[in-house]
Amino acid sequence: MFSILVASYNGAQWITEALKSIQDQTFHDFECIILDNGSTDDTKEIISPFIENDSRFQYHYLDVANKANALNYGIMIAKNEWLAICDIDDLWTNDKLEKQRQFILDNPEVDFVGARFKYFGYGENLESKTPALPLTHDEICIWLDRCENPLATSATVYRKDVHFRGVGFYNTMYYSVEDYEIWKKGKMRGMKFANIDSICMLHRIHPPSPFQTTNRQEISKAIVDVLFTDLTDVRRITYFTELLQRFDKNRPKGDWSDGHSVRGQDK
C-alpha cells in the first residue's frame, strides 16, 4: 500500500534509527526506497543489513546532493499508490502506518493524511514547543491561507497521483520547503487534507547550525507563500517586502527552527 521514501545525505549518524522505526511498523505492506543523494560518508555500509535481510528495503545512489531531486526519483520508481516520506533524523511510532491506513479506509476521499508529532533531541521543554497541528481539511486550509505549515513531512502520507493531477514534482530550487510547496499547490487544486489526532512521529531537533543562521529556509518559504497564496498583485508586493524585512542580517536568531513556527516566531 505504501512506498516510503528516505532521502539521505551524509545521514549515517541517524539513519539506522529511522530505518528501524520503519521496519518495526505493525502494518507490513510497504516498500522502503532509500535514496542516497550524494553522500560521502559510510551510509551504504551502515544500511546494508536492512537491504540484505529485508526484501522491503532497497537502495539507490544518486550523484546529485539534492533532496528534492532524490524524492522525485523515488516517486518515479515507487510501486504503491500511497507515498510516505521519512527524514533520516526523524522516527516513527510503530503504529503510524496502521493508523493512517485505517483513516484512509474510513475516509476514501482524502489525498493527504498527516498526524500529530513531538519534538525530541536538543533543547529544553521541547514537548511544550511542539505545534498542535490542525486536524480537519478546513482548518488545514486556513493555516495554508495564512502561510503556516499545517503538515509535518515525516508524519504525512499522500496519494502518489497528486503529482500527476496538477501538483507536479518537488522543486529542486527550494531549500528545505519543497514539501510545503506541494501542500500549497494541492490546496489550489482542491485536494483533501487531514491530520489524525495521534502522535505518529518524533521530530528531532538539532543544535544551532548554519541551517538556522542563514535564513535560507525562511527565504524559500517566503517565495512559496508569495507564489502560491491567493493575494492580489499589490498585496503580493507588500507581503513579499514585509517578509524580506524579517531576514535582516541583524535580526536575532533563535536556537532552532523546524519550518512550522516561522510565522509564530515573529509575533
Side-chain angles (χ1 to χ4, degrees), residues 117-136:
F117 70 97
K118 291 195 304 186
Y119 290 139
F120 79 109
Y122 173 85
E124 298 179 354
N125 302 316
L126 290 179
E127 188 167 347
S128 66
K129 297 176 182 178
T130 305
L133 299 181
L135 300 179
T136 68

Side-chain angles (χ1 to χ4, degrees), residues 16-263:
T16 297
E17 288 183 90
L19 295 182
K20 189 67 168 61
S21 76
I22 293 170
Q23 191 174 51
D24 289 345
Q25 290 297 299
T26 55
F27 181 72
H28 302 135
D29 183 10
F30 66 80
E31 63 173 350
C32 181
I33 303 172
I34 303 166
L35 302 155
D36 188 348
N37 51 314
S39 293
T40 57
D41 62 6
D42 55 351
T43 291
K44 185 175 181 180
E45 290 72 24
I46 288 175
I47 67 171
S48 60
F50 292 93
I51 309 301
E52 294 169 1
N53 300 319
D54 193 329
S55 61
R56 296 173 298 176
F57 288 78
Q58 55 182 280
Y59 173 84
H60 300 266
Y61 183 85
L62 293 86
D63 291 330
V64 179
N66 183 290
K67 179 183 177 182
N69 182 71
L71 293 177
N72 290 338
Y73 181 84
I75 292 164
M76 295 304 297
I77 64 174
K79 298 177 180 178
N80 295 320
E81 178 185 0
W82 286 82
L83 298 177
I85 297 171
C86 184
D87 288 339
I88 55 171
D89 49 355
D90 293 336
L91 303 175
W92 286 357
T93 62
N94 64 356
D95 58 356
K96 174 188 184 291
L97 293 182
E98 184 173 357
K99 287 183 175 180
Q100 290 178 312
R101 171 183 176 269
Q102 188 59 54
F103 187 91
I104 291 165
L105 293 177
D106 295 339
N107 301 272
E109 76 286 353
V110 74
D111 296 295
F112 296 85
V113 181
R116 304 253 195 221
F117 70 97
K118 291 195 304 186
Y119 290 139
F120 79 109
Y122 173 85
E124 298 179 354
N125 302 316
L126 290 179
E127 188 167 347
S128 66
K129 297 176 182 178
T130 305
L133 299 181
L135 300 179
T136 68
H137 172 79
D138 289 343
E139 292 173 320
I140 289 170
C141 288
I142 289 172
W143 273 49
L144 289 169
D145 284 341
R146 70 189 187 204
C147 303
E148 294 187 72
N149 191 354
L151 298 172
T153 304
S154 291
T156 301
V157 301
Y158 66 94
R159 295 185 187 274
K160 182 174 68 174
D161 69 1
V162 305
H163 293 290
F164 308 102
R165 288 159 48 202
V167 167
F169 288 83
Y170 288 100
N171 192 320
T172 59
M173 300 302 292
Y174 292 140
Y175 179 80
S176 193
V177 297
E178 64 285 329
D179 56 333
Y180 180 65
E181 184 196 35
I182 296 296
W183 320 149
K184 298 280 277 193
K185 291 166 73 175
K187 176 186 177 296
M188 293 176 66
R189 293 289 180 177
M191 295 174 182
K192 301 300 181 183
F193 296 85
N195 278 314
I196 64 174
D197 192 12
S198 296
I199 293 173
C200 293
M201 186 267 285
L202 306 179
H203 180 59
R204 192 188 305 268
I205 298 301
H206 301 277
S209 69
F211 174 79
Q212 282 81 31
T213 59
T214 62
N215 286 319
R216 288 173 62 194
Q217 183 191 35
E218 293 187 36
I219 292 171
S220 292
K221 183 178 181 297
I223 293 171
V224 171
D225 287 334
V226 170
L227 292 177
F228 300 105
T229 301
D230 185 17
L231 303 172
T232 65
D233 289 342
V234 174
R235 285 184 64 208
R236 283 181 193 277
I237 296 172
T238 302
Y239 180 62
F240 193 53
T241 301
E242 291 174 351
L243 285 170
L244 290 178
Q245 289 173 351
R246 299 183 188 180
F247 310 134
D248 184 271
K249 63 182 179 180
N250 295 319
R251 175 188 176 218
K253 305 299 189 300
D255 287 337
W256 47 266
S257 169
D258 79 322
H260 289 276
S261 52
V262 169
R263 181 175 182 271

